[in-house]
Amino acid sequence: MTDSPQHLIFAMLDVDGDGAITHAEYLARVDRVAAAVGRDAAHPVVAASHDAHDAVFRDMDADRDGRVTFEEYRTWVGHDAFERFCRRALGSLFDIADLDADGRLDRAGFVRLRTAAGNGESGVDEAFDALDADRDGLVDRDAYLSGIRDFVTTGTSPMAAAYGAGRTGLPAVT
Ligand SMILES: [Ca+2]
Ligand SMILES: [Ca+2]
Ligand SMILES: [Ca+2]
């Protein structure tokens, strides 16, 4: 395994490290985030997030065996996949954490979201600072999603540190 964005994200999503992302592992992210921020599991934003994650999973799992291998993930991932699916799934997790629904998260909410979504705590403050460009103590939904997209597609992004990739980004993905 290298430190490419795809490897780092795959390793994060393959919670038990058995080499495949199962449907249950992927959907459990939603429940972890909801629990971490104290969101009622019956709230519509949680149901919407389950639906979004289910759609992403079905799109990733090319051979429909209920397991997404790294090869399936690597084949699937990219700019088009992000815009079509990931943006909705990751946005839905943001919405779960955005308890006052103003489209912004403060630092505490951001840390809870990132940690519960499966990222380590290292680099999370750095990522918040990088995404909070106007220093108002809040990160906008669009800035957050753009930051992740840039990391997934280019390896260089304010979000890179939050994936353990270091602040200067990564060499070209091979
Ligand atoms: Ca697994
Ligand atoms: Ca599969
Ligand atoms: Ca908010």
Side-chain angles (χ1 to χ4, degrees):
M1 297 280 269
T2 71
D3 283 343
S4 75
Q6 286 88 351
H7 279 108
L8 291 168
I9 293 170
F10 185 86
M12 177 186 76
L13 295 173
D14 176 17
V15 175
D16 67 1
D18 72 346
I21 306 161
T22 61
H23 188 266
E25 277 175 328
Y26 195 60
L27 273 286
R29 281 190 107 189
V30 176
D31 303 312
R32 279 203 310 277
V33 170
V37 302
R39 178 72 89 173
D40 184 347
H43 194 283
V45 295
V46 178
S49 191
H50 277 135
D51 288 349
H53 281 72
D54 186 59
V56 171
F57 188 88
R58 283 187 281 108
D59 201 55
M60 290 192 296
D61 184 16
D63 68 358
R64 308 257 177 219
D65 69 347
R67 298 164 55 83
V68 174
T69 62
F70 181 69
E71 284 309 312
E72 282 176 318
Y73 180 76
R74 186 167 63 182
T75 302
W76 175 82
V77 80
H79 180 73
D80 289 348
F82 189 91
E83 293 299 332
R84 277 186 299 141
F85 291 100
C86 289
R87 193 174 182 88
R88 189 175 149 220
L90 292 166
S92 75
L93 293 179
F94 187 100
D95 295 340
I96 290 173
D98 180 15
L99 296 172
D100 63 1
D102 68 348
R104 300 180 296 177
L105 289 182
D106 63 14
R107 185 180 298 269
F110 181 84
V111 170
R112 277 195 292 272
L113 167 61
R114 296 299 305 171
T115 305
N119 303 276
E121 287 186 44
S122 87
V124 67
D125 276 307
E126 198 176 351
F128 183 91
D129 292 337
L131 292 171
D132 179 19
D134 64 1
R135 295 285 183 268
D136 68 348
L138 298 164
V139 163
D140 293 348
R141 193 178 191 275
D142 277 349
Y144 176 69
L145 294 176
S146 297
I148 295 176
R149 181 196 61 211
D150 291 348
F151 178 65
V152 169
T153 56
T154 71
T156 305
S157 153
M159 288 300 293
Y163 289 100
R167 64 179 309 146
T168 56
L170 293 163
V173 179
T174 54

